[in-house]
Amino acid sequence: MVPANDFHRQWSETSGDVLDAVRAVGESGWYVLGREVEAFESELGEFWGLDHVVGVASGLDALELSLRALGCKAGDRVLTSPISAFATVLAIVRLDAVPVFADCDDTGLVDLDACRRILEDDGSIRYFVPVHLFGQALDLEDLRELKARFSLTVVEDCAQSIGASSRGLATGTIGDAAATSFYPTKNLGALGDGGAVLTRSREVADSLRVLRDYGQARKYRHTTLGYNSRLDELHAAIMRRAHLPRLRGWVDARRHVADTYRREIGSPHLRVVPGPPGSSSSCHLFPVQVLPEHKADALAFLRDRGIGVAEHYPLPQNEQEALGQVAWRGDTPRAAAFCRSEISLPIHPYMTSAEVRQVIEVCNSWRP
Ligand SMILES: *Cc1c(COP(=O)(O)O)cnc(C)c1O
């Protein structure tokens, strides 16, 4: 079996450092919002090139708290991508804001031209949550222009894009805030849940620190109705001591797998999904497409031959049953078609070349 992720191999390489991190936190006697979180925030900021980092409990919280810190409130319209983890839209609707979906292009990422048309038609949209899906970077120059032209407040969803850049600019550096996730499968995963917001603005970072801790500006002085959304010392320590130092190497290893796939998958029945021009992907996922009518057969064929394929995502966010309960706007036929055709091949830093070879051979031998 070629798994989609291999945490056993990761653990056999990292366990020494992880256990040292656990011991350090245990011995410190301080388990929530202490030195480890601070040190991790500062090192992640250095890695990313952003001044302020605020650790929170999940990627979903990173998105919701960022939007709230940036003033998004009930009834505000928030433009976003139809294809993403459901957390993206959930963050918007949890604030009682109204999601507006722009269609995707042939990369599966949100189409910035479609966004421009929607923004021209509806001058009331002030927020945008673009998703750097699969680890591919949206064109950040286009994003910057869109932000300026329509005075948008932008929260970049970077849950999949740690390590990705667009023509040398890191994802997350154009928006007012970048939200990321440390869910275990992400490029920088914890051994559990976690997330962070990165921003250039001290003010936004300060409000996030208040929001994540019950809305207290200082101990027992609550200035706003906040959340319990704190990153654990334990996870901060594990990521800083064991995972962050390996992150560049992990992204390189993912890129090596992706490059090999791109070079050697040559089936006429299978489209390797390209990234936007100028994107240097973090290779979080490796999507390919087949004709929608062949997808079930292709998935079964690949699985029967031991390939741990997945789908990102089988349904766009705006077709999820839960969204039937809230107001939203947008018509996204291309996203619907993309989801019906997408298959994610295994990609992770611990894949062996024999596994990569097996995936390529099985892909190239599939016939509809
Ligand atoms: C994983 C993910 C999230 C949510 O992160 P959690 O930590 O699971 O809450 C949000 N957006 C995208 C694009 C993701 O992949």
Side-chain angles (χ1 to χ4, degrees), residues 96-355:
D96 288 325
V98 179
V100 180
F101 294 98
D103 213 348
C104 69
D105 61 20
D106 67 352
T107 67
L109 278 70
V110 76
D111 179 348
L112 294 177
D113 290 326
C115 290
R116 189 171 296 114
R117 289 192 294 273
I118 291 170
L119 291 161
E120 278 163 358
D121 282 353
D122 182 348
S124 73
I125 300 171
R126 284 282 159 271
Y127 291 89
F128 184 23
V129 182
V131 182
H132 300 288
L133 190 69
F134 307 131
Q136 292 285 5
L138 283 159
D139 188 315
L140 292 182
E141 286 306 334
D142 287 352
L143 184 58
R144 194 205 303 270
E145 191 196 297
L146 212 62
K147 175 170 165 46
R149 176 156 161 217
F150 296 98
S151 309
L152 295 171
T153 297
V154 174
V155 175
E156 292 180 56
D157 184 335
C158 297
Q160 302 187 359
S161 73
I162 296 188
S165 57
S166 166
R167 301 188 177 92
L169 277 180
T171 61
T173 57
I174 294 302
D176 298 276
T180 197
S181 163
F182 307 126
Y183 185 76
T185 60
K186 301 294 158 79
N187 283 19
L188 177 62
L191 270 63
D193 277 304
V197 182
L198 299 95
T199 174
R200 284 184 212 293
S201 159
R202 174 178 301 275
E203 213 186 331
V204 171
D206 286 345
S207 13
L208 285 162
R209 288 182 207 287
V210 172
L211 281 175
R212 75 174 169 184
D213 196 18
Y214 308 145
Q216 55 190 341
R218 55 198 171 85
K219 204 163 172 63
Y220 305 133
R221 287 294 181 270
H222 299 265
T223 51
T224 186
L225 301 174
Y227 306 75
N228 175 346
S229 184
R230 301 174 296 225
L231 181 64
D232 291 319
E233 286 284 282
L234 209 47
H235 281 143
I238 290 169
M239 285 188 287
R240 182 173 72 90
R241 294 159 185 255
H243 293 180
L244 189 54
R246 292 180 166 87
L247 181 55
R248 295 244 182 249
W250 282 346
V251 173
D252 287 347
R254 286 174 180 275
R255 285 183 174 147
H256 181 71
V257 174
D259 289 345
T260 313
Y261 282 165
R262 278 181 198 288
R263 228 178 22 248
E264 299 188 20
I265 293 177
S267 162
H269 310 294
L270 222 141
R271 173 181 186 258
V272 172
V273 178
S279 165
S280 169
S281 180
S282 69
C283 299
H284 175 61
L285 295 169
F286 195 90
V288 297
Q289 287 175 288
V290 296
L291 290 175
E293 59 270 34
H294 299 145
K295 180 167 164 171
D297 174 64
L299 282 171
F301 181 92
L302 289 155
R303 284 183 180 137
D304 285 349
R305 283 154 190 79
I307 312 301
V309 284
E311 296 172 83
H312 296 90
Y313 292 87
L315 270 186
Q317 303 191 88
N318 44 350
E319 284 184 31
Q320 294 292 345
E321 191 181 339
L323 267 220
Q325 302 162 34
V326 303
W328 57 272
R329 290 158 179 259
D331 181 30
T332 61
R334 298 182 74 179
F338 188 93
C339 289
R340 284 199 302 273
S341 68
E342 192 273 349
I343 293 175
S344 299
L345 301 182
I347 188 163
H348 63 81
Y350 292 94
M351 277 184 90
T352 64
S353 38
E355 287 175 325

